Amino acid sequence: MTNRIRKIINDPVYGFITIDDPLVFQVISHPWYQRLRRIHQMAFAQLVYPGAVHTRLHHSLGAYHLMYNALTELKNKGVEITPEEETAAKIAILLHDIGHGPFSHALENVLINNTHHETISILIMRVLNEQMKGQLHKAIDIFTNNYTKPFLHQLISGQLDVDRMDYLTRDSFYTGVSEGVIGYDRILKMLTVNNGDLMVEEKGIYSIEKFLVARRLMYWQVYLHKTVLGAEKTLVKIIQRAKALIEQGQVVQAASPTFDFFLKNATSASFIEQHLSGFCQLDDFDVLATIKNWVFHPDTVLSTLCRCLIERRLLKVKLQAEPFDLDWINSLRNNICQQLNIGEADCEYLIFTGEAENTTYNPTEERIQILFKNGTVTDISKVDNALIHQALATPVKKYYICYYNCKQLS
């Protein structure tokens, strides 16, 4: 008698999501995967869009559901996908974000220097593979693009992958920003495979253009919204300030022993590899509880930054097409230094500049190929009368400044 399993999850975006494979269910049940419940998908976007409180687990399950549907469509079109490959692809997309730490992209390369979440995801997948007696080997090959059928990897990581389809659909749903709505169901229907690569049938061109435009609009309206940007950069400055104080020998205690250990010791990917189990205990709650405690820290800079986040009295943020005037920046800096009675070096945490950049479609990366009825293949940016043309491959850059608003002093 075969070991069959069938579970359904009621998702607010797609309805019922079906789990019908014992290995997939085993992965979902693992504590390291369940940790994703405690990591928000959009970090501090909820400070602007109060409904944006969904988690990495929500997104992971949604991407799994879209992968499930995509593979079904491709099999219906005669694409050869074995049951083992189908299970492996579904597990690969389930685990594609498992390496995210607290507050995801906001703290990437900050809490642990020069370490991307993809690197940690692979480390975790390899450990899970050992625990599950080698059953995830094919999923790892697909995830790392070392499998013989490249379209399976392209469904996970590419210009038109189920990861992006879900986060656009889900983030639009939870923020209420309708500009991010895409026709994911039609896109899935239009997918096909040609010479091993994922492509889109000719009649799906307009759905793809809508997908790319929606992504562009969501970046500037949500992901790079100036207030969201300012809140996330404030979190970065908090961690950087805490680390600097620790290096100076000052007492800076995190709320949980695990977070405290990583804050004071984590330096590289090799460190993570040695302490992977500890990393998989970290989540947003460790960081939030710590920030609440640091509101009362004797260091003026650290306590001020933490109070900005906890009380939502955020740094003031300006975005513009040109760099900011240096004299104006210096005037602001002097004012902040005087008001808070801190030195110029300390003030760098409370006023800083940077650049935000977004590209609608980059044909030098993973391309979106259109398969025409006559068998020819053309990049979406070169289709006649296409909305997505070469000019939109040029990154849009904006300069930002974040600074403490002295009027907030009580």
Side-chain angles (χ1 to χ4, degrees):
M1 187 174 180
T2 57
N3 183 23
R4 297 298 298 166
I5 188 170
R6 182 176 173 83
K7 301 284 185 182
I8 58 171
I9 298 170
N10 196 351
D11 180 69
V13 177
Y14 305 121
F16 291 113
I17 296 175
T18 303
I19 311 295
D20 56 4
D21 185 287
L23 184 57
V24 171
F25 185 71
Q26 187 179 356
V27 169
I28 289 174
S29 301
H30 197 282
W32 290 3
Y33 180 83
Q34 289 293 313
R35 176 184 72 101
L36 298 179
R37 291 183 183 274
R38 305 187 301 276
I39 297 179
H40 287 97
Q41 174 74 10
M42 299 181 69
F44 282 112
Q46 59 178 294
L47 294 177
V48 179
Y49 302 98
V53 293
H54 53 300
T55 68
R56 287 278 162 187
L57 183 135
H58 291 129
H59 164 59
S60 172
L61 290 172
Y64 159 87
H65 174 72
L66 296 184
M67 175 66 82
Y68 189 109
N69 290 350
L71 295 174
T72 299
E73 290 295 335
L74 292 177
K75 287 191 299 180
N76 289 341
K77 293 179 180 180
V79 179
E80 184 180 348
I81 303 172
T82 67
E84 292 78 16
E85 289 169 340
E86 184 174 359
T87 298
K90 290 190 289 189
I91 289 174
I93 194 64
L94 272 175
L95 298 177
H96 78 282
D97 273 350
I98 198 168
H100 271 295
F103 288 97
S104 303
H105 294 291
L107 287 186
E108 194 163 27
N109 294 321
V110 178
L111 182 59
I112 302 146
N113 298 333
N114 303 315
T115 306
H116 295 279
H117 72 272
E118 291 93 344
T119 302
I120 302 174
S121 291
I122 293 171
L123 291 175
I124 292 174
M125 290 171 74
R126 287 173 178 161
V127 172
L128 293 180
N129 187 41
E130 292 177 7
Q131 294 179 1
M132 298 178 187
K133 301 178 181 178
Q135 294 182 88
L136 305 190
H137 182 74
K138 192 168 291 185
I140 295 173
D141 283 347
I142 292 173
F143 181 79
T144 55
N145 200 18
N146 289 315
Y147 195 63
T148 54
K149 297 180 178 179
F151 70 88
L152 293 174
H153 173 77
Q154 290 161 2
L155 281 169
I156 296 167
S157 179
Q159 288 274 8
L160 188 65
D161 54 40
V162 295
D163 173 26
R164 293 183 183 184
M165 283 188 222
D166 179 76
Y167 78 61
L168 285 174
T169 301
R170 189 168 300 276
D171 295 351
S172 174
F173 177 89
Y174 279 95
T175 58
V177 177
S178 60
E179 286 82 358
V181 174
I182 63 171
Y184 67 87
D185 46 354
R186 178 167 174 79
I187 294 174
L188 294 178
K189 293 284 185 184
M190 297 298 107
L191 293 180
T192 188
V193 173
N194 184 53
N195 293 327
D197 287 318
L198 188 69
M199 297 189 183
V200 180
E201 294 175 357
E202 177 183 355
K203 54 189 175 181
I205 289 175
Y206 301 121
S207 296
I208 302 305
E209 289 183 332
K210 173 66 166 62
F211 165 83
L212 292 171
V213 171
R215 184 167 175 262
R216 176 190 180 95
L217 294 174
M218 283 292 285
Y219 264 86
W220 289 117
Q221 190 164 343
V222 179
Y223 308 128
L224 295 177
H225 183 289
K226 67 175 187 176
T227 305
V228 176
L229 181 69
E232 294 184 359
K233 295 301 179 183
T234 299
L235 176 61
V236 170
K237 291 298 181 181
I238 287 172
I239 300 302
Q240 290 175 342
R241 180 64 175 181
K243 284 188 170 186
L245 294 175
I246 291 168
E247 290 177 1
Q248 295 169 16
Q250 297 193 41
V251 177
V252 181
Q253 192 76 28
S256 72
T258 303
F259 183 38
D260 196 63
F261 175 75
F262 276 84
L263 187 66
K264 295 174 180 176
N265 298 286
T267 54
S268 64
S270 60
F271 178 88
I272 291 295
E273 192 168 3
Q274 297 168 17
H275 302 279
L276 197 59
S277 180
F279 175 85
C280 290
Q281 296 176 31
L282 291 175
D283 55 47
D284 288 3
F285 295 100
D286 294 304
V287 177
L288 276 177
T290 298
I291 292 173
K292 285 179 65 179
N293 288 348
W294 285 348
V295 167
F296 306 102
H297 195 276
D299 179 73
T300 300
V301 172
L302 185 60
S303 62
T304 299
L305 288 170
C306 291
R307 184 171 287 107
C308 284
L309 279 185
I310 295 301
E311 298 179 358
R312 203 196 177 283
R313 299 198 292 178
L314 304 172
L315 299 182
K316 195 168 182 61
V317 184
K318 291 183 181 294
L319 279 169
Q320 64 183 41
E322 302 296 331
F324 290 89
D325 181 71
L326 290 179
D327 290 337
W328 179 68
I329 294 174
N330 289 332
S331 175
L332 283 174
R333 182 182 293 110
N334 291 336
N335 190 27
I336 295 170
C337 287
Q338 292 175 9
Q339 292 290 329
L340 295 179
N341 193 27
I342 58 177
E344 189 170 318
D346 290 341
C347 198
E348 295 301 321
Y349 293 94
L350 293 162
I351 179 169
F352 48 89
T353 60
E355 299 174 8
E357 187 175 290
N358 177 241
T359 303
T360 298
Y361 177 69
N362 189 351
T364 63
E365 296 180 353
E366 185 74 30
R367 298 184 174 188
I368 297 178
Q369 304 277 31
I370 306 299
L371 178 63
F372 287 84
K373 292 177 182 178
N374 62 7
T376 59
V377 176
T378 304
D379 188 274
I380 184 82
S381 63
K382 297 178 181 178
V383 173
D384 289 343
N385 300 316
L387 176 65
I388 307 302
H389 50 79
Q390 292 292 343
L392 291 181
T394 304
V396 176
K397 181 187 293 186
K398 294 185 180 180
Y399 297 87
Y400 68 81
I401 183 170
C402 304
Y403 60 94
Y404 184 73
N405 185 2
C406 292
K407 294 179 181 178
Q408 294 183 139
L409 288 169
S410 56

